[in-house]
Amino acid sequence: MSLGMSNSSESVQAAASEPSRHANPRTSPWFSVPRTAIVSVEHICIIKDVDKAIETLGGTAKVQRLLGDEARSTVAQLYLHPGDRMSNPILSNNVSTHNILLRVTVPKRTGRNRKRGSLEPYQDAVGSAPEVPDRTISTARDTQRLLDCTSANVGKYHIRPVGLIEQTHRFRDLPDFVWSTTNSPFMQKMRDHIYPLNYEKMKNFKFDMSKGPKPNMELIPPPRFTHLSMPFNYAYRQNPAVKRTVDAFGNVITFNTQLANKILTQLVTYDVESVPMGPTNGLESTDTLEPLMQDLIQLLRQLLEERPIWTRRAINNRLIAPGREWSNVAKHVYQYAGYMFRSGPWRDAIVKFGVDPRSDPKYRIYQTMLYQIDDKEVEDMGLLDPGGRKPGPKTKNRLSHLFDGKTAALDGKVWQVCDVVDPLLKSLLDTDNLRDECHLESFGWYHNGTWAKARVIMKAKLAKILAGDGVPNDIDYEKIAALPEIIDKDTRHLAILSTNKTATPREVQWASDVRTIACVGWKIHQTKEDGEGKQSRSELGFRDGVVNEGTAIDPRLAETIIQECEKSGLLPGDDDAAIDDVDEEMDDDGMVGFGDSDEDMEGDSLAEEDED
C-alpha cells in the first residue's frame, strides 16, 4: 500500500479542481494541481491501521525526517517486528517521481436501488442526499468497490488533485533473518531492567561472572545474517532434452532423449565366491546393436579366446583399425565379453566370462601392476600435451602396453606380467617358486618378496624414465633383486640394507619399500600361554585392545611398528640390522607411486577408461 505524506498545511479544499473552459471543445480540459509537495511510501503490507503502519516506519519522529530539508537523501526504515531490537529494518530506495495524488469522493450508499441484474443507473431514494465518506482506499477490495461506485454513479463522483508526488520510497530488499530472543535469559533481563530506563531496575541488573562454559551458553549474534539484499534470479527452466510421453498404462512419464545408456560391466571383489559366467540380464541384445558394435564385440571375444585376461590398453592397441572409432564405444563393449575385478591381483583387467584366475597358477602371468603417475609433473617436463591430453589415435603406439625398461608410454597406468619384457623383471617373474594358495588381496600366486621386488624395481625404472635421466641400468637394482623371495619374521633381516654395508641411500630406500609392500601379507605369530593353551595372533590383529583385529593399517605405519618391535625384542631378528634400518625416512619417487591401495582404487575401474 502507498502512504502519502504532505509537508504543507495548505488545505485540499483550496486546490482548484474545476477544469478551465476553452473555446475549442475538442481539446482536453486543463486542471490546476496544487503546489503541495507530497512524499509517498509504498508499504509492503496491507494497511488496516495507519497508526500501526507509522509504527513500523519507526514512529512519527522518523516519518517527519522524510519531509525535512534533507528528504531527498533520507531513506525510510521499515521494521517488520516493531519493538524487537534484534530485527534489522529494511531500507527503502528513495526515487524521484512525477505522480499526482488524487482525491476521489463518491456518494455513500443511502438506500438507492435498481432492478436486480439491470445495468441501469441506481435511482436515488426520495428525500435522500449523497454524502461524502471520510475514509481512504487501503486494499485492492476497496479499490474494486470504488470502481464499481464510480461506474454506478456517473456524474455524481468528484476527483480532485491533491498535490504532486516528487519522492517515493520503495522497499525492494530482502528482509534479514531475525535472532529470536523469546527464550533468551539474558535478553529477558535486558527487557526487565534496561529497556524501561528506570534507575532502580537498572541497579538490579547483574552479569553472571562465573567462569567456564555453561549449558545453553548464549553467543552474540552477528549484525546481519545475510549479505544478499536482492532476490537472486535462478532462471529455472526445463531441460530441453526431457520430453513427456504416455506409457502403455496411460500414465504420463518423462524421459531424457540425450541420456546415455547405462554401463553394466560386472565388477567383482577379489574374494567373490564365484565369478560371472555371462553378461547380466539387463543388457540389450547384441542383435539390436549397431553393426560396428557387433563387430567389436565379436573381435573382443576372439581376443579373449586367444588370451583370457587383457588390460583395456592392450585391447585398444590390438583393435586399432582405420575408420573405427573404438575409443567411443569401448566401455559399452566390455560388458558383453567379460567382467572385471575391482581390487586384488587382477584389478582393472577384462577377464573372460567363466574364467577364475584364482583357481590355477597358470593365470599368474596375467596379474596386473598399477602405478599412480602424476600427470602434472609429467606435463611440466613436456612428456604430455598441454592440458594433460594423451596421445591421439593417429600417433598411438600399438606397443604402449608393453614395458621394456627403456621407454614408458603414458596412455595408461596398468601393466600385466605377461606384458613386462624388461629382462631383469622378466627373470624375477618367470619363476616356478610360487605359492600353494592364491593370495587374494595383493600377491596372487607370487610370494610376497617376489612381487614386492618386481613392483619396486619397475616403479624405480618408470620414475627414472619419466624424469628424463636416461635408460635405467640393471646393475643398479641387483641388490634389490637378490632380496629373499619370501619375507617373514625369519627372513626379514635378510631384506634389510644399510649404508654401513656398502649400500647406497637409494638402495636402502628401495629395500624399505620392498619390506613395506611385503608386510601387507606377512603374518606375525606370537604365542602366549593362557588357561586354554596357545593362541595365534595374525598380522597386526592384536587382541589386547591396542589394534582391533582386521583393522586396515597403512603399510608404512606397519613397517614402523615392526621395526620398533624388533628393537624392543618382541620379534626375533638382527638387532643391529633393525636399528640401521630406521635411518632413512620413507621417500617417494616423485611422479610415480604405487597403486595397490584398494581405498584409492575402489570402484574406479571404469573411471580410467578415458585415460586408457
Side-chain angles (χ1 to χ4, degrees), residues 253-271:
I253 60 174
T254 59
F255 67 97
N256 193 334
T257 58
Q258 298 179 355
L259 186 64
N261 295 330
K262 281 189 175 182
I263 301 174
L264 301 178
T265 303
Q266 300 180 64
L267 303 175
V268 299
T269 58
Y270 63 83
D271 57 351

Side-chain angles (χ1 to χ4, degrees), residues 371-420:
Y371 296 93
Q372 298 174 353
I373 301 176
D374 190 343
D375 289 343
K376 183 62 173 64
E377 293 190 20
V378 175
E379 179 184 346
D380 294 340
M381 298 176 59
L383 299 178
L384 281 180
D385 295 337
R389 294 187 296 271
K390 302 298 185 297
K394 296 181 180 180
T395 61
K396 185 174 179 61
N397 180 10
R398 298 191 62 177
L399 300 178
S400 62
H401 60 287
L402 302 179
F403 180 74
D404 58 2
K406 300 178 181 179
T407 59
L410 300 176
D411 56 346
K413 304 176 183 179
V414 183
W415 285 266
Q416 284 182 284
V417 172
C418 61
D419 293 332
V420 176

Side-chain angles (χ1 to χ4, degrees), residues 386-460:
R389 294 187 296 271
K390 302 298 185 297
K394 296 181 180 180
T395 61
K396 185 174 179 61
N397 180 10
R398 298 191 62 177
L399 300 178
S400 62
H401 60 287
L402 302 179
F403 180 74
D404 58 2
K406 300 178 181 179
T407 59
L410 300 176
D411 56 346
K413 304 176 183 179
V414 183
W415 285 266
Q416 284 182 284
V417 172
C418 61
D419 293 332
V420 176
V421 296
D422 176 72
L424 178 59
L425 294 173
K426 191 173 182 61
S427 64
L428 290 175
L429 297 172
D430 288 348
T431 177
D432 294 331
N433 186 9
L434 304 174
R435 302 174 60 94
D436 296 332
E437 295 182 359
C438 180
H439 187 269
L440 303 180
E441 292 86 349
S442 301
F443 308 131
W445 290 104
Y446 291 100
H447 289 295
N448 60 347
T450 306
W451 192 248
K453 291 188 298 181
R455 288 187 56 78
V456 170
I457 293 175
M458 186 171 176
K459 172 192 172 184

